Amino acid sequence: MKKNLTAVIFSLAIVIAAAILGSAFLNRNKKSGTVDVTGLGQKNFTSDLVVWEGNFSRENLDIKVAYAELEKDRKAVTDYLVAKGIPKDQIIFRAVNTNPLYRQNYSSAGNYMGQTFLGYELNQSLQIDSKEVDKIDQISREITELLLQGVKFYSQPPRYYYTELESLKIEMISRATEDARLRAEKIAENSGAKLGKLIAANMGIFQITGQHSTEDYSWGGTFNTTSKEKTASITMRLSYSVR
């Protein structure tokens, strides 16, 4: 009896194994698995906000005289910018910085001989945030005209921003997702399979570079502020099942 039961079990195991192997053979050509694709969303846009900074300074042995001269310069700068069409309340002056000036003295042999007090340097900076990008861009280049009035004004390169970044990001994600889906459909079609459900989606880093620039993308994201004309881009990596 025990021998017969063992034989039956052994025979049953052979039948099951044969069925499994037969099913694998019959379905060997059926498509299964996943397809991974990366889509790109990209758009050119123009900055709608500019931040421009500059500074001017005066030097004098007497700190009171230096401050009085700096006040005259401040008025000259304000009058110039207002005449160029900048509202006075947009011109933000920062606190005055005061630095004592010294000359280091050395002997002919190179030994340190102490220092000589030369006076004070007073420096004041200003900042303008404006939606009138083209106007500020032009003024930042023309501000050197103040040198003719004796004002030592140093202009910093404007920084350009975009105030609708959140809406832009959503649009880029939509574009990248659509691009990835179309790629996945094409891959499935060319391989004779059908695209199934979306399994996973991973968003890349949002990048903003200057148009036609050679800037490299960064793992942490690039955020260009030196170009008025910019390009925004983002990638989406999607994984679909195929059948």
Side-chain angles (χ1 to χ4, degrees):
M1 181 68 180
K2 187 174 181 181
K3 289 182 178 180
N4 291 336
L5 181 61
T6 301
V8 170
I9 294 174
F10 182 72
S11 299
L12 184 60
I14 292 176
V15 172
I16 293 173
I20 293 174
L21 290 173
S23 177
F25 178 79
L26 291 174
N27 292 288
R28 68 190 186 281
N29 293 321
K30 288 186 178 181
K31 304 294 186 296
S32 63
T34 62
V35 58
D36 298 322
V37 290
T38 300
L40 174 65
Q42 196 170 61
K43 183 179 181 179
N44 294 330
F45 65 97
T46 302
S47 303
D48 63 356
L49 175 68
V50 61
V51 177
W52 174 55
E53 295 177 290
N55 64 86
F56 50 98
S57 62
R58 282 286 181 175
E59 297 176 9
N60 200 285
L61 188 63
D62 188 328
I63 191 172
K64 293 182 180 179
V65 174
Y67 187 80
E69 291 175 341
L70 195 71
E71 279 293 295
K72 291 180 181 179
D73 290 346
R74 173 173 171 161
K75 183 179 184 306
V77 170
T78 302
D79 292 345
Y80 177 88
L81 294 175
V82 170
K84 290 288 186 178
I86 305 301
K88 196 171 183 179
D89 59 0
Q90 284 188 6
I91 308 171
I92 307 302
F93 288 95
R94 297 194 178 95
V96 176
N97 290 323
T98 304
N99 299 305
L101 301 175
Y102 297 93
R103 182 181 65 241
Q104 307 303 316
N105 302 315
Y106 295 88
S107 68
S108 58
N111 297 319
Y112 181 63
M113 303 291 291
Q115 58 186 12
T116 302
F117 177 68
L118 300 177
Y120 296 93
E121 178 189 53
L122 274 60
N123 183 289
Q124 188 165 35
S125 61
L126 64 85
Q127 177 175 314
I128 296 175
D129 298 5
S130 176
K131 302 278 284 184
E132 296 182 285
V133 178
D134 292 335
K135 177 188 286 188
I136 300 300
D137 194 35
Q138 182 176 352
I139 291 175
S140 71
R141 295 191 298 268
E142 297 176 345
I143 194 71
T144 51
E145 293 173 346
L146 282 172
L147 292 173
L148 300 176
Q149 301 181 35
V151 180
K152 294 191 296 183
F153 192 96
Y154 301 95
S155 175
Q156 303 296 324
R159 302 192 303 275
Y160 303 96
Y161 300 92
Y162 189 59
T163 60
E164 301 296 330
L165 274 184
E166 292 307 314
S167 297
L168 183 62
K169 286 181 180 179
I170 293 174
E171 182 181 350
M172 292 300 94
I173 293 171
S174 177
R175 289 190 180 193
T177 302
E178 178 66 12
D179 182 53
R181 185 183 64 80
L182 292 175
R183 291 172 186 266
E185 288 178 347
K186 198 65 177 177
I187 292 173
E189 178 185 337
N190 291 340
S191 61
K194 290 185 178 180
L195 198 65
K197 294 182 178 180
L198 178 65
I199 299 173
N202 294 292
M203 184 174 64
I205 302 299
F206 192 61
Q207 310 277 356
I208 296 180
T209 58
Q211 285 184 29
H212 314 299
S213 72
T214 57
E215 293 176 78
D216 292 328
Y217 285 175
S218 166
W219 287 109
T222 300
F223 191 85
N224 176 285
T225 60
T226 59
S227 301
K228 182 167 57 177
E229 303 296 331
K230 306 179 190 294
T231 299
S233 61
I234 196 169
T235 58
M236 285 293 296
R237 183 171 177 80
L238 306 183
S239 180
Y240 287 94
S241 64
V242 290
R243 59 184 186 276

